[in-house]
Amino acid sequence: MNARVDIAGSAALAVAGMRSGYGEAVVVRDVHLTVQPGEIFALLGKNGMGKSTLLKTVMGFLPLQGGAVSLFGEAVGGLAPHLLARRSLAYTPQEQALFQDLTVEDNLRLALRDRTQFASGLERIGVHFPFIPQRLKQRAGTLSGGEQKMLLVARALMTRPRLILIDEITEGLQPSVIERMVRVLRAERDETGAAMLIVEQNVQFALAVADRYAVLKLGEIVDTGPVADGTVAARITDQLSV
Amino acid sequence: MSTLLDILTTAAILYSVCAGLLLVFGVMKIINFAHGGFLTVGGYSALLVTHLGLHPWWAPAFAFVIGAVCGMAIERLVVRPLYSRPLDAILATWGLGIIIGQVITLAFGREVQFVQSPVTGALDLPGGASYSEYRLLLVAVAVALGLTLAAVLEGTRLGLVTRAVIMNENLARALGINSGLVRFATFSLGAGLASLAGALITPLSSVDPNMGVPWLVNAFMLVMVSGVSLVSLAIACVVLGGAQVLVSQWGNPILGGLTIVVLAAFVLRLRPQGFSRG
Amino acid sequence: MADPVASVLPSPVANAPRKRSDLKRLGIFAAIALVVIAIGPYVLPMYMVNGLIRAFLYAAVALTVDVLWGYTGILTFGQSAFFGIGAYAAGLMFTHVGFSTGYAAIALVAGVGVAMLVAGLVGWLAFYHGASPLYGSVVTLVLPIVVTQILFSGGNFTGSSSGLSGFESFDVSIEAWFWIAGGFLVALTSAAWLFVRSDAGRILVAIRENEQRCEYVGINVSRVKIVLMVVCAAIAAIAGYAFAGVQMVVAPEYAGFVFGTELLIWVALGGRGTLIGPVIGTLVLDVSTSYLSGNLPFVWKLVIGVAFVVVIVALPQGLTPLVTRTARRIFGRRETAAPDAPVTFEQSAAAPYAGLEGAGQQALAVEGVRKHFGSLAVLQGIDFAASRGELLSLVGPNGAGKTTLMRCVADGNERSGGTVRINDHDIGRKPPYTCVGFGVGRKFQTANVFETLTVAEALRIARTRMARPSLWSRAGTLPLPEASLQVIRATGLDLQIGTEARHLSHGMKQALELAMVLALEPSVLLLDEPTAGLTKPERTMIGGILVNLAQKHRLCILLVEHDLDFVREISSRVIVLHQGRLVLDGTVAEVVESELVRTIYSGAAHGAPS
């Protein structure tokens, strides 16, 4: 118990005994996980296993029914989403993640609370996604599916957050874009030391980008460990196919 | 000449009356049918200023504050649960209009009352005619109002944030925007502006507990044909308000009263985006 | 008589219980209501009898508001105008021409006729294809304002603001008026009750739930709404005519916008979408208003206003469900679970597929189709043709324009340029329901169904084009084409025919929509990722059905799919789209071996620098 508190003290994100769901339907039960600063953590699992629910609960969109969540040592359970977002936390949801009717530029600006950061932020993401600075005035809804996903990641990186939560960014993406995502996220982590919690179904992508992983099954973590272990891919694929 | 001024001043008055409704509709996608009630509140605020013996210049400011305070209370209690039910919001705010009208009746009585005008003079026109200075003043007020609102909505981060909340509230919150506050502020501002307009128009006619209703319908139609743009609202006010003036002068006043609603309905049928470019 | 009736009538979304006991129950309550009305004049004080006559007529109008708003989702402020038209038809005739049975009949016909004409015009204005619901409400708001202003400007002819009064009218006793108005209301309520629960009545709910899906199963939504508006206008005009006949007074207020909103208040308080709620709401509120407004004039109106706001905010379904629940608790009656819909599916007689009369071999021809949003070109000149019996897969990376192309084929208003021909019919600018008639059936990318309709009801809606639904009853059987039945059985939908779509899982909704589209018996089938969210065995089964439809029934199927293995297994031909252009059109083998396709999918052709 004490050890866990110690970890929470230094962790970017510490989830202890989380229980959450929709009304009486408990989707996440007694989940413990920590993400250290500078670490990319992949949360894997099939559809309906509670991955997105966990992220929404961390972000304050769903009430915490039990357990605790802390960011950089501060207990944040019960805080409203906008207050969490102001604690250097970026979140890219799986669905309806862009303002479709606003321009690319407005979508990026909305993530920033300080407008003086826009130019430098744009320069940084332009390195990863050159199409974005060229198409600032285009409506986000008219971008292709892959471009929208890239804009999402770009928006998350704009603020140089200390922790990024990403929900299924590879869904519907073609392999070349997925590879680019791996490069971008790892480069960003190396540069800014941001922690990332990445929810995925795509095992290959998750293992290519992450340092550690956990597998969520029926709302509980059934396997976790470092990605470095060479047998991981086969084991996870096995677990996801059961 | 005086017809031209009539058109101009009528458009200005309509613009002032519509601005708050447009703000609430454009930003929140909610039609505030209590807008007429807020106009009435503004009218009686001006009456109170007269009763208190204050200078009539105080009326608009006083009305704005009272209206905004009413708006705050109503947003919290009534409008907030209805954001996802826009047609129900029309009905609930219409009910609020009834409540406001009845409360005012209980407090001030049903009879028609008059308010002092801050400017009573008339401007001599070339050719011997003269024109009410107060009506001309309203043109300047409307222009100032439009420019201020446009600057806030289009040019500031506040405007962008407000639009974001309406498009996708959860996403806005995930980006650190306090959406509840944005809605609250917008509705209160809209109510304040309606009340302000009510105070501005009362010196032209009189106050009674139902004074807002006829204005409400015209304002509603003008906002519908304007889309959500302040510029197209100005165009709509000049074109349809102008038509109203002309029909009233050369046709008859009753037909004139119908001009705006009928023209607006047909404009929307033939061109659903109305006067906006979209 | 209020509570027992309210406690039994189901909400509009409720399922169909057994048909016969239903009818019996309606008969019993209509009979009770008629008995109460028959003895009413003998036991009630005179002012009450008078008040109730008026309330009965108001309630008839409120009933039309409930059908329009509660069931169909058309928020209307304008029913008062039709009431006024009916009233003025009587008032004007009796004042200026005089009273006789003949004149009375002419006035009735004229009043109803004018009301229907005006309603047709209003419907044309308000319900054009693509109109927003808000615009419809705007028009219904303008109508009473225009009518009252016309009455105001009518001078001596219409009596201007004071209206007309003191005209000679029917020589009928007050008791008889009570029976006439009461009988009219009971008959109307019963008819409306039968109608909204009939197969045709379900279409109203379907329109409220999902107008787009209605158009894509071939229902001309605008026409349904206009017809409904015209019928409701006629009923309101009859009520207004009777009102003028009994009160011998007409005034512009009865046609006005304030009365129009008052009707909405009664319906909302009584409970929209329940029929009986608005009737009782109107009776209670109108009678108590005329009684109380004498004693507490302003306070009473304030109370109504507050109650209205509270109900809209906190109890959107009105007071009826509240009363029902309380009554159940008091009398200890348990909520009866909705019994299974008594619908059995059967295979429909083999009919020719839609749109094939006189058509040649070519099922689909797309020529130079372009689509742009502002300056962004999504499709840049797409050309291809498909014959009957082909299963054509449309593949390409995200944003290639696949879904947009589907949309352009199914709705004439979508494309920016080029022509589309379905079975040799040029679709021109025609709306989706016309394209359905040419043979198009479209399944959307995300399940697009009617949330509060049951599986059986939704499938029946999809059959509207083939079998005109009954206006007063529900059919016990539902004939469906073989392919639709196959999907239903294979996915287990047949075990859930009484379940509302919103309670279905994602995969089941997908299956339901596919079954609905197949129920249209289309000859050109557009499927946007039809198997997303389904299990592997279900996908295989649907693949088999599609191949069968193409090969045996000679359907032309256009399929958008991400799963290339699935595409390979079932397609006869593949088209590759990339950045809004058709880059390859060939057999499965050609596409699989194509270097170009490999490049596109590996992203090198995406314009990415890294």
Side-chain angles (χ1 to χ4, degrees):
Chain A
M1 198 62 199
N2 276 338
R4 194 168 283 140
V5 172
D6 286 347
I7 293 165
S10 60
L13 170 68
V15 171
M18 176 190 282
R19 180 185 160 86
S20 176
Y22 304 85
E24 287 173 15
V26 177
V27 182
V28 173
R29 51 193 90 226
D30 196 32
V31 166
H32 296 269
L33 66 84
T34 54
V35 184
Q36 298 301 334
E39 182 181 41
I40 304 185
F41 191 103
L43 188 61
L44 291 144
K46 285 196 292 188
N47 257 335
M49 291 302 163
K51 306 185 300 295
S52 296
T53 308
L54 188 142
L55 283 197
K56 284 181 193 165
T57 312
V58 169
M59 265 320 282
F61 284 112
L62 290 171
L64 199 58
Q65 293 178 0
V69 177
S70 60
L71 292 180
F72 309 105
E74 179 197 9
V76 294
L79 276 188
H82 67 275
L83 296 177
L84 285 163
R86 294 175 188 181
R87 284 169 164 73
S88 199
L89 176 61
Y91 169 53
T92 69
Q94 185 182 4
E95 288 165 336
Q96 299 188 325
L98 286 172
F99 296 101
Q100 302 277 326
D101 291 329
L102 292 182
T103 60
V104 169
E105 177 175 350
D106 284 345
N107 268 284
L108 294 173
R109 279 192 186 280
L110 280 166
L112 289 174
R113 298 182 58 71
D114 178 359
R115 66 166 63 197
T116 57
Q117 292 171 356
F118 183 73
S120 62
L122 192 62
E123 197 176 316
R124 273 170 8 89
I125 62 173
V127 174
H128 300 311
F129 306 113
F131 81 94
I132 290 179
Q134 292 161 15
R135 288 154 78 178
L136 287 176
K137 299 298 171 196
Q138 188 175 335
R139 268 193 332 117
T142 62
L143 295 174
S144 76
E147 288 163 348
Q148 294 195 13
K149 293 282 191 185
M150 290 186 255
L151 176 57
L152 270 181
V153 171
R155 184 178 64 196
L157 302 184
M158 276 300 272
T159 56
R160 294 180 73 101
R162 291 200 288 159
L163 173 64
I164 308 178
L165 311 177
I166 300 180
D167 200 349
E168 305 238 354
I169 196 69
T170 61
E171 193 195 16
L173 286 188
Q174 59 205 56
S176 64
V177 181
I178 294 181
E179 281 165 29
R180 172 133 56 129
M181 290 288 189
V182 174
R183 286 198 302 275
V184 168
L185 293 177
R186 291 198 75 103
E188 183 69 19
R189 187 268 308 269
D190 293 344
E191 189 196 328
T192 66
M196 303 183 189
L197 175 59
I198 290 174
V199 157
E200 264 306 326
Q201 290 201 64
N202 183 333
V203 179
Q204 266 182 313
F205 167 74
L207 296 186
V209 74
D211 307 308
R212 276 199 305 145
Y213 74 95
V215 177
L216 204 59
K217 191 169 179 186
L218 296 171
E220 292 175 68
I221 289 182
V222 293
D223 181 21
T224 182
V227 168
D229 184 349
T231 61
V232 166
R235 199 166 74 236
I236 296 176
T237 312
D238 230 34
Q239 279 160 344
L240 292 187
S241 62
V242 177
Chain B
M1 183 66 188
S2 104
T3 304
L4 260 180
L5 285 178
D6 275 343
I7 290 174
L8 198 63
T9 55
T10 303
I13 292 165
L14 287 170
Y15 192 85
S16 313
V17 167
C18 295
L21 189 64
L22 181 93
L23 192 68
V24 172
F25 176 63
V27 173
M28 310 169 95
K29 296 284 172 280
I30 293 261
I31 306 248
N32 174 21
F33 261 35
H35 191 74
F38 290 132
L39 286 171
T40 314
V41 166
Y44 279 86
S45 303
L47 185 71
L48 264 181
V49 167
T50 303
H51 282 284
L52 291 172
L54 294 171
H55 193 278
W57 282 121
W58 284 101
F62 188 58
F64 180 84
V65 173
I66 301 263
V69 169
C70 289
M72 288 178 195
I74 286 171
E75 199 275 344
R76 281 280 137 134
L77 296 173
V78 176
V79 180
R80 187 163 295 183
L82 296 177
Y83 285 126
S84 55
R85 296 188 269 146
L87 290 186
D88 280 4
I90 297 185
L91 292 171
T93 49
W94 170 253
L96 279 173
I98 295 177
I99 295 173
I100 292 173
Q102 294 314 115
V103 169
I104 285 178
T105 308
L106 288 170
F108 293 89
R110 292 182 82 172
E111 65 277 10
V112 172
Q113 300 181 64
F114 295 91
V115 171
Q116 245 183 305
S117 172
V119 179
T120 50
L123 195 74
D124 289 328
L125 298 181
S130 65
Y131 204 85
S132 154
E133 275 178 15
Y134 185 69
R135 285 184 73 99
L136 291 174
L137 178 70
L138 290 182
V139 177
V141 170
V143 170
L145 185 68
L147 292 179
T148 313
L149 283 178
V152 171
L153 259 188
E154 306 294 330
T156 67
R157 178 171 171 82
L158 181 70
L160 176 62
V161 161
T162 311
R163 283 184 285 154
V165 167
I166 299 317
M167 291 172 186
N168 186 339
E169 176 158 5
N170 272 344
L171 181 54
R173 293 166 74 199
L175 296 178
I177 294 165
N178 185 351
S179 58
L181 191 64
V182 170
R183 290 170 181 275
F184 177 69
T186 308
F187 193 85
S188 309
L189 179 61
L193 287 176
S195 181
L196 171 77
L200 290 174
I201 57 177
T202 42
L204 298 173
S205 49
S206 58
V207 293
D208 70 83
N210 293 315
M211 63 177 270
V213 176
W215 289 102
L216 168 68
V217 175
N218 277 342
F220 171 67
M221 296 306 284
L222 284 166
V223 168
M224 290 289 100
V225 292
S226 304
V228 293
S229 141
L230 289 161
V231 178
S232 50
L233 178 65
I235 300 171
C237 287
V238 171
V239 173
L240 299 185
Q244 179 185 21
V245 169
L246 297 177
V247 171
S248 304
Q249 263 178 19
W250 284 304
N252 75 44
I254 290 174
L255 283 183
L258 284 180
T259 311
I260 290 178
V261 288
V262 173
L263 281 183
F266 277 91
V267 166
L268 285 171
R269 173 66 173 89
L270 301 173
R271 197 180 140 84
Q273 72 272 40
F275 285 94
S276 63
R277 271 170 305 162
Chain C
M1 80 179 185
D3 294 355
V5 180
S7 66
V8 186
L9 287 189
S11 72
V13 296
N15 204 354
R18 288 128 309 196
K19 210 167 79 185
R20 187 171 300 154
S21 79
D22 238 25
L23 266 181
K24 209 163 101 192
R25 210 182 286 167
L26 173 66
I28 291 171
F29 286 111
I32 293 174
L34 286 174
V35 168
V36 170
I37 287 166
I39 57 175
Y42 301 111
V43 295
L44 293 170
M46 196 39 111
Y47 73 88
M48 204 56 172
V49 173
N50 247 323
L52 273 171
I53 294 172
R54 188 185 57 201
F56 286 154
L57 296 172
Y58 285 175
V61 190
L63 209 57
T64 66
V65 172
D66 193 31
V67 170
L68 287 168
W69 176 41
Y71 285 87
T72 322
I74 305 166
L75 178 63
T76 171
F77 296 88
Q79 285 305 99
S80 55
F82 303 119
F83 183 85
I85 288 172
Y88 267 87
L92 288 170
M93 179 67 88
F94 302 161
T95 304
H96 297 297
V97 185
F99 182 86
S100 79
T101 318
Y103 291 149
I106 293 171
L108 178 62
V109 171
V112 172
V114 170
M116 289 170 82
L117 267 178
V118 172
L121 178 70
V122 166
W124 171 81
L125 257 177
F127 309 131
Y128 63 92
H129 174 65
S132 77
L134 192 55
Y135 176 70
S137 295
V138 168
V139 175
T140 66
L141 177 67
V142 170
L143 172 70
I145 293 170
V146 171
V147 171
T148 39
Q149 292 299 326
I150 291 173
L151 294 173
F152 274 127
S153 57
N156 282 338
F157 183 67
T158 59
S160 196
S161 62
S162 48
L164 303 167
S165 58
F167 46 80
E168 195 187 343
S169 179
F170 298 93
D171 181 23
V172 172
S173 71
I174 214 71
E175 289 82 5
W177 270 119
F178 187 87
W179 294 324
I180 292 170
F184 175 60
L185 181 61
V186 172
L188 198 64
T189 311
S190 308
W193 189 77
L194 282 175
F195 170 61
V196 296
R197 296 166 59 82
S198 72
D199 288 332
R202 297 283 87 187
I203 293 177
L204 306 187
V205 179
I207 289 174
R208 186 187 69 197
E209 290 291 327
N210 191 339
E211 227 171 89
Q212 182 192 44
R213 185 72 263 181
C214 282
E215 299 223 317
Y216 276 97
V217 297
I219 295 172
N220 184 341
V221 172
S222 305
R223 197 169 64 196
V224 173
K225 284 182 173 177
I226 292 172
V227 169
L228 194 67
M229 190 86 186
V230 168
V231 172
C232 287
I235 293 167
I238 293 171
Y241 176 86
F243 178 86
V246 62
Q247 302 278 346
M248 289 176 277
V249 59
V250 294
E253 287 77 41
Y254 295 114
F257 150 70
V258 173
F259 180 39
T261 51
E262 223 167 335
L263 288 165
L264 283 171
I265 293 176
W266 294 333
V267 172
L269 288 178
R272 67 179 95 157
T274 62
L275 293 183
I276 196 71
V279 166
I280 292 169
T282 307
L283 298 184
V284 171
L285 284 171
D286 185 56
V287 170
S288 52
T289 298
S290 58
Y291 181 66
L292 288 170
S293 61
N295 303 339
L296 324 147
F298 307 130
V299 178
W300 174 245
K301 209 174 162 197
L302 183 62
V303 169
I304 296 275
V306 172
F308 178 57
V309 172
V310 168
V311 162
I312 292 283
V313 172
L315 292 168
Q317 294 316 311
L319 295 173
T320 306
L322 198 68
V323 171
T324 316
R325 243 177 287 132
T326 317
R328 284 223 179 87
R329 204 164 303 143
I330 292 169
F331 298 116
R333 270 177 52 184
R334 255 170 287 134
E335 198 107 18
T336 43
D340 279 331
V343 174
T344 47
F345 295 137
E346 59 180 34
Q347 192 166 333
S348 57
Y353 285 90
L356 290 186
E357 301 80 24
Q361 263 303 308
Q362 196 175 65
L364 172 65
V366 173
E367 289 158 18
V369 165
R370 286 176 289 109
K371 171 74 181 177
H372 51 81
F373 298 102
S375 59
L376 180 82
V378 184
L379 293 176
Q380 321 185 35
I382 304 289
D383 291 285
F384 70 92
S387 312
R388 299 174 56 194
E390 276 197 279
L391 204 166
L392 191 57
S393 283
L394 207 51
V395 302
N398 296 304
K402 302 183 296 286
T403 300
T404 310
L405 179 58
M406 289 287 208
R407 218 179 283 148
C408 290
V409 172
D411 182 348
N413 279 310
E414 281 286 341
R415 65 191 189 284
S416 314
T419 49
V420 173
R421 269 200 293 278
I422 309 286
N423 295 319
D424 297 333
H425 302 276
D426 187 342
I427 69 167
R429 290 279 154 214
K430 303 228 164 47
Y433 55 82
T434 312
C435 295
V436 170
F438 293 158
V440 170
R442 176 179 174 206
K443 155 127 189 20
F444 290 76
Q445 191 172 6
T446 46
N448 191 342
V449 293
F450 305 111
E451 295 286 313
T452 66
L453 291 187
T454 66
V455 169
E457 286 169 342
L459 287 163
R460 167 120 32 221
I461 299 281
R463 295 290 291 174
T464 304
R465 210 175 55 81
M466 271 69 65
R468 207 186 169 86
S470 162
L471 288 168
W472 57 81
S473 69
R474 319 191 102 185
T477 59
L478 175 58
L480 290 171
E482 188 190 346
S484 187
L485 284 175
Q486 276 177 335
V487 171
I488 290 166
R489 295 206 182 103
T491 54
L493 265 180
D494 52 344
L495 305 174
Q496 308 207 39
I497 53 176
T499 309
E500 287 177 23
R502 61 187 160 145
H503 298 311
L504 294 175
S505 71
H506 170 72
M508 289 297 242
K509 280 188 192 175
Q510 291 272 54
L512 173 59
E513 198 196 355
L514 184 58
M516 284 166 64
V517 172
L518 290 172
L520 295 170
E521 303 186 27
S523 54
V524 176
L525 193 54
L526 309 178
L527 302 173
D528 206 340
E529 302 192 36
T531 63
L534 297 186
T535 62
K536 183 73 187 162
E538 285 167 340
R539 292 167 75 96
T540 311
M541 179 275 307
I542 284 182
I545 293 173
L546 297 182
V547 169
N548 187 46
L549 279 171
Q551 291 176 351
K552 202 171 121 205
H553 300 276
R554 310 294 294 158
L555 259 64
C556 170
I557 301 176
L558 191 58
L559 177 76
V560 167
E561 201 37 84
H562 273 299
D563 181 352
L564 289 180
D565 291 334
F566 186 66
V567 166
R568 204 174 304 162
E569 276 164 32
I570 68 170
S571 311
S572 61
R573 199 174 127 203
V574 181
I575 284 179
V576 184
L577 286 189
H578 180 53
Q579 294 184 338
R581 290 181 203 281
L582 196 159
V583 293
L584 195 66
D585 179 350
T587 64
V588 175
E590 280 167 359
V591 170
V592 169
E593 284 158 20
S594 158
E595 195 58 39
L596 177 64
V597 172
R598 219 166 294 156
T599 332
I600 289 171
Y601 268 91
S602 68
H606 203 264
S610 49

